[in-house]
Amino acid sequence: MVEYWQSLLSGPFIPHGHCYLWRPGLVWLHLLSDALVALSYWMIAGALVYFVQRRPDVPFKPLFWLFAIFIGACGTTHLFEVWTLWFPTYWISGGMKAVTALVSLYTALELVPRVPMALALPNLTQLMDMNQALQSEISDRTQAETSLRAAEQEVRQLNQTLEDRVQRRTAQLEEAKQQIEALLEQERRDRTTLQQAKDDLQDTAERLNLALSAAQMGTWDWQLDSGTQIWSPQTERILGLEPGTMPHRAEVWAERVHSDDLPTIEAILQEAIATQSEFAGQYRLRWPNDTWHWVSAYGRVVDVKDGRSQRMVGVVQDITAAKQAELDLRASERRFRAVFEQAAVGMARLNWQGEWIQVNQKFCDILGYQPEEIINRSFQSMTYEGDRVKDEYYYHQLLTEHTPCQFEKRYLRKDGTPLWTLVTASVESDDTDRPSAFIAIVEDIEDRKAAREELMRRADEMANTNLVLAHTTAMLEQRNAELDQFAYVASHDLKAPLRAISNLADWLGEDLGTQLPPENRHQLQLLRSRVERMESLINGLLEYSRVGRRQRSIVAVDLNQLLSNVVDSLAPPRSFVVDIPAALPTIYSYKTALGQVFANLINNAIKHHDRDQGSVRISWQDQGQWIEFAVADDGPGIAPQYHDKIFTIFQTLKARDDFESTGVGLAVVKKIVEAEGGRVWLASSVGEGTTFYFTWPFTKQPPTPAPPDLASHAI
């Protein structure tokens, strides 16, 4: 057990500092870097914990804790990097990294489902639309209130005029009655006086009718004992009837009253009859065209006999326009109240002195107050001290210019902590277009501010990373150029002595001819073949080193034409058949690289065939973003244990003295295919032929032109 713990703490390992050869500069570089990274991670984790503890109402609180644990674990892994410079406790260090990986994965899984909830927060455009809708509602409400007041004033004036005229008429009728009684008592002794009274009565009636017509009022007279009624022509028009077309009866009137209003208005009438008093009410009438109109009615009992009401007279007036204005005003008030109370952002109204007079629940939730704790308080008493000067500036701008404004400020919550908000303020006007109050829309942007700061930090990091990548790219281009130069010089310097040896062997063969013994001629032939093999090997190495570093461009590649050109360039024996499928697609790719892959695979199938005749068949399959090619032959096949070996450079399955091969061709194929992100493999058994498969990007559209420094690609 002790040995297990010792192996866990140190084991057969050496401290990490040995990898740096204990060079002080390098050791200190890694020591300070990892230490500072660990310290920074712990400070970030501590800040997150402090933030969550100070802000118990913050959303996604468990996610903050996960980020704090994840960042703290990352810092601990960097601390172990410092520790392992001197103490080889790699098992413990690796265990800590595994813990960090699990916490990171769990944090990512918790973060992804919460992204839609964060995106659901309202944006600035939605807030502006809501503010515009609110301004429209206020304007509609103001217009409706103005129309209602005008209508009410007109009704009051008309009612007052009617009452005055009715009173005068009543007095006149009473006087006439007394005169008639006096005349009757005098046995009609003064017919001239009576006729004059009748003329005066007629004049008064005409004046009354003229006044009622001007006010668009109709009159009615109801004999309660007989049930007969008399309607004026205006009354019939108010009921939606043509004058003289319908009998003047209570049943005709009742049929047109709305069923919801009829019981109420009948109860008012019966009460007035029973108490010999007056009544007033409003109800809806249905016209023959099925439209509904509001009517205001007024009447009083004018004749009582033996304690019972005998006659009732009154007036009616069409108040549809005024009633509609009243209903519109109420609807506007309901819509305003609904928008105000159900808004997803804080909304409030302030008086001209800057005191809260109305707030919605969302505003209270943002700051942690109850509505009664905010009403009549000054907005400055809830403003963060550092923002009061800016707040005063916008307040005076609203007072003087009356133009909407938007700004960021910090309010103080009930617990005293500051909260970043986005405030949109505008002016509310009264009926005379004079400013009467302020309207404020308050949005909690605490998370948005934090995200903005994080984005700015990430942008700085990305800029620094781009600078490092640009520097690294320049260094790689320089190294590639140096490598190309080295490969070219090495190839040239190595080929020069080989050509000399080859020429010398040719001269010896020509000069000595048949004088050489058979063994020496065989050795001379071996010398020539070794020289040719060496030159082929050098060419293969040069080609292998250039894969991935030569400049080339993406062009439209007609695969039918490409394969035909490859087969023509290889010039296979007539006994070999290369089967190319018809109607191959056209793709956008690197023509030279793809042609080199096909050339190496087809040439390999012909060169390694065990018979003088054979066939090579090429096929393809569409796999969406990739196209899969297959090059199959009917040769001797390859044993499964060599399937991976043949893609290794310089590896051949036959002795080079028995079969000339550099062992570079398939290695070049593998490197080209993998440089394009594809893969290459084979299926083969001894005696059953071989099929090489490889995948290639299936690009059907030309690529988007890139900037000059990125447009080229290397293979």
Side-chain angles (χ1 to χ4, degrees):
M1 188 58 140
V2 174
E3 293 178 355
Y4 169 76
W5 284 105
Q6 287 178 349
S7 65
L8 183 63
L9 294 174
S10 60
F13 310 113
I14 62 173
H16 206 173
H18 286 285
C19 298
Y20 305 143
L21 303 181
W22 293 108
R23 293 185 177 179
L26 188 57
V27 171
W28 276 105
L29 174 62
H30 284 270
L31 171 63
L32 292 177
S33 299
D34 287 321
L36 289 175
V37 171
L39 178 60
S40 300
Y41 277 153
W42 286 342
M43 290 176 67
I44 295 173
L48 287 175
V49 172
Y50 176 77
F51 173 75
V52 172
Q53 290 178 343
R54 296 291 294 177
R55 285 288 305 279
D57 60 334
V58 70
F60 314 125
K61 188 173 182 179
L63 197 60
F64 277 87
W65 280 105
L66 285 175
F67 269 102
I69 296 172
F70 156 56
I71 294 173
C74 290
T76 305
T77 58
H78 282 277
L79 184 63
F80 271 106
E81 292 295 327
V82 176
W83 174 263
T84 54
L85 286 173
W86 290 278
F87 304 98
T89 56
Y90 297 118
W91 281 105
I92 298 178
S93 176
M96 189 62 207
K97 290 182 179 179
V99 171
T100 303
L102 293 176
V103 174
S104 303
L105 178 60
Y106 184 70
T107 303
L109 294 176
E110 289 293 322
L111 175 62
V112 171
R114 287 168 173 78
V115 171
M117 291 186 284
L119 293 176
L121 295 175
N123 57 33
L124 180 59
T125 302
Q126 293 173 334
L127 293 177
M128 293 301 292
D129 292 342
M130 293 175 63
N131 186 46
Q132 186 66 30
L134 183 60
Q135 291 293 336
S136 178
E137 291 292 337
I138 292 173
S139 178
D140 294 343
R141 177 184 176 185
T142 302
Q143 294 177 359
E145 288 178 349
T146 303
S147 301
L148 180 60
R149 288 191 181 95
E152 289 178 350
Q153 184 65 27
E154 182 181 356
V155 170
R156 290 194 191 98
Q157 293 176 354
L158 292 175
N159 287 337
Q160 185 63 38
T161 302
L162 178 61
E163 289 177 358
D164 294 342
R165 292 181 182 275
V166 169
Q167 290 176 359
R168 289 196 302 270
R169 176 58 178 163
T170 302
Q172 292 172 354
L173 290 175
E174 186 67 26
E175 181 182 356
K177 179 181 178 182
Q178 292 175 1
Q179 292 175 354
I180 292 173
E181 290 177 352
L183 290 173
L184 290 174
E185 290 175 357
Q186 295 176 9
E187 295 180 358
R188 302 180 183 274
R189 290 177 297 183
D190 196 355
R191 294 183 180 277
T192 304
T193 305
L194 180 59
Q195 186 64 40
Q196 184 66 38
K198 290 181 178 180
D199 293 340
D200 292 341
L201 181 62
Q202 184 65 32
D203 292 340
T204 302
E206 290 178 357
R207 289 195 297 269
L208 178 60
N209 288 332
L210 181 62
L212 292 175
S213 298
Q216 293 185 348
M217 288 184 176
T219 62
W220 52 270
D221 191 333
W222 187 8
Q223 298 294 331
L224 299 176
D225 54 350
S226 63
T228 60
Q229 296 185 4
I230 299 175
W231 298 343
S232 70
Q234 182 63 24
T235 299
E236 292 182 278
R237 282 190 287 268
I238 291 175
L239 296 179
L241 304 174
E242 288 294 331
T245 58
M246 295 291 289
H248 299 175
R249 300 191 61 83
E251 294 81 2
V252 176
W253 167 80
E255 289 176 354
R256 284 160 172 75
V257 178
H258 196 285
S259 59
D260 294 341
D261 300 339
L262 183 60
T264 302
I265 197 66
E266 285 183 337
I268 295 175
L269 280 170
Q270 294 302 323
E271 182 181 358
I273 293 172
T275 59
Q276 292 91 41
S277 61
E278 61 186 26
F279 79 93
Q282 296 178 355
Y283 54 90
R284 287 165 288 180
L285 282 173
R286 180 173 56 84
W287 280 19
N289 60 0
D290 290 331
T291 60
W292 292 95
H293 292 255
W294 278 95
V295 174
S296 176
Y298 172 81
R300 67 191 313 178
V301 174
V302 296
D303 189 8
V304 179
K305 184 177 181 181
D306 298 332
R308 298 181 61 184
S309 301
Q310 299 295 315
R311 180 186 176 199
M312 178 178 284
V313 296
V315 295
V316 291
Q317 183 182 22
D318 189 337
I319 60 170
T320 302
K323 196 67 177 180
Q324 187 61 46
E326 179 184 353
L327 295 176
D328 291 343
L329 178 59
R330 293 177 182 175
S332 176
E333 290 177 346
R334 287 195 299 270
R335 289 194 297 270
F336 173 78
R337 190 177 299 109
V339 170
F340 189 87
E341 294 297 336
Q342 300 174 13
V345 296
M347 296 185 67
R349 298 175 65 243
L350 300 90
N351 59 23
W352 210 238
Q353 290 73 38
E355 297 173 344
W356 307 104
I357 57 177
Q358 187 179 3
V359 295
N360 69 351
Q361 188 58 44
K362 183 62 177 180
F363 182 77
C364 297
D365 295 340
I366 290 175
L367 298 182
Y369 287 95
Q370 293 299 322
E372 58 271 12
E373 297 175 328
I374 299 178
I375 300 301
N376 296 328
R377 286 186 60 179
S378 171
F379 71 92
Q380 286 288 37
S381 65
M382 302 169 61
T383 300
Y384 184 71
E385 184 176 359
D387 294 340
R388 289 182 181 177
V389 175
K390 179 176 66 174
D391 222 19
E392 283 289 341
Y393 167 77
Y394 286 109
Y395 174 60
H396 288 293
Q397 178 179 329
L398 285 171
L399 286 175
T400 57
E401 301 179 8
H402 303 165
T403 56
C405 60
Q406 187 177 74
F407 55 93
E408 294 180 357
K409 63 172 287 186
R410 286 166 288 186
Y411 277 109
L412 291 176
R413 296 188 182 91
K414 186 176 181 179
D415 59 7
T417 58
L419 172 71
W420 274 106
T421 62
L422 177 66
V423 179
T424 303
S426 58
V427 177
E428 176 184 333
S429 302
D430 58 14
D431 298 338
T432 60
D433 289 335
R434 296 182 59 185
S436 60
F438 300 117
I439 297 177
I441 299 176
V442 181
E443 180 185 2
D444 182 355
I445 61 170
E446 190 78 15
D447 294 338
R448 191 187 306 173
K449 290 281 289 187
R452 186 187 306 168
E453 294 175 359
E454 178 66 16
L455 286 175
M456 293 178 64
R457 186 181 66 81
R458 294 291 178 86
D460 292 339
E461 292 179 356
M462 184 66 69
N464 294 332
T465 303
N466 287 338
L467 290 176
V468 173
L469 288 176
H471 178 68
T472 304
T473 301
M475 292 181 62
L476 287 175
E477 290 177 352
Q478 181 180 358
R479 295 293 187 271
N480 285 338
E482 294 174 355
L483 184 59
D484 285 339
Q485 183 65 23
F486 171 77
Y488 176 77
V489 172
S491 173
H492 181 272
D493 292 345
L494 289 174
K495 286 181 179 180
L498 288 178
R499 293 192 188 96
I501 294 173
S502 178
N503 292 336
L504 181 59
D506 291 338
W507 295 341
L508 288 174
E510 293 174 358
D511 293 343
L512 297 179
T514 57
Q515 299 178 13
L516 288 174
E519 182 179 357
N520 292 68
R521 285 198 298 272
H522 176 67
Q523 293 173 347
L524 192 60
Q525 184 60 33
L526 285 177
L527 178 61
R528 292 193 186 97
S529 65
R530 299 289 173 81
V531 169
E532 292 176 357
R533 184 192 309 161
M534 189 65 182
E535 185 172 1
S536 299
L537 185 60
I538 292 172
N539 290 333
L541 281 173
L542 183 61
E543 183 64 28
Y544 186 81
S545 68
R546 289 176 176 173
V547 172
R549 294 186 295 105
R550 285 186 300 189
Q551 300 299 317
R552 49 129 185 223
S553 58
I554 296 178
V555 297
V557 180
D558 185 345
L559 293 178
N560 292 287
Q561 183 179 0
L562 176 69
L563 287 172
S564 297
N565 294 338
V566 168
V567 174
D568 289 342
S569 64
L570 294 176
R574 294 181 178 274
S575 57
F576 274 88
V577 177
V578 179
D579 182 14
I580 300 175
L584 282 167
T586 297
I587 65 174
Y588 287 86
S589 184
Y590 305 107
K591 183 176 183 180
T592 303
L594 184 58
Q596 188 174 1
V597 171
F598 277 118
N600 284 348
L601 293 177
I602 296 173
N603 185 56
N604 204 62
I606 297 172
K607 182 171 64 174
H608 292 279
H609 208 284
D610 58 348
R611 300 189 303 275
D612 293 336
Q613 59 182 8
S615 64
V616 179
R617 184 172 59 85
I618 301 171
S619 60
W620 68 284
Q621 288 184 356
D622 185 353
Q623 296 185 348
Q625 295 182 351
W626 299 90
I627 183 170
E628 180 182 293
F629 294 103
V631 180
D633 63 57
D634 56 354
I638 301 174
Q641 62 266 28
Y642 299 119
H643 285 187
D644 294 331
K645 179 180 178 181
I646 61 174
F647 291 107
T648 305
I649 192 170
F650 303 140
Q651 294 295 324
T652 61
L653 301 182
K654 297 179 181 179
R656 287 185 172 86
D657 290 339
D658 297 334
F659 186 83
E660 286 296 335
S661 177
T662 61
V664 177
L666 291 179
V668 171
V669 169
K670 180 179 176 65
K671 189 172 183 181
I672 293 175
V673 171
E674 291 181 349
E676 298 303 321
R679 64 188 188 96
V680 59
W681 71 99
L682 74 152
S684 178
S685 296
V686 176
E688 297 181 0
T690 303
T691 301
F692 282 92
Y693 299 92
F694 71 93
T695 57
W696 196 265
F698 196 177
T699 306
K700 303 176 184 178
Q701 299 294 332
T704 303
D709 56 339
L710 300 176
S712 61
H713 188 78
I715 63 170

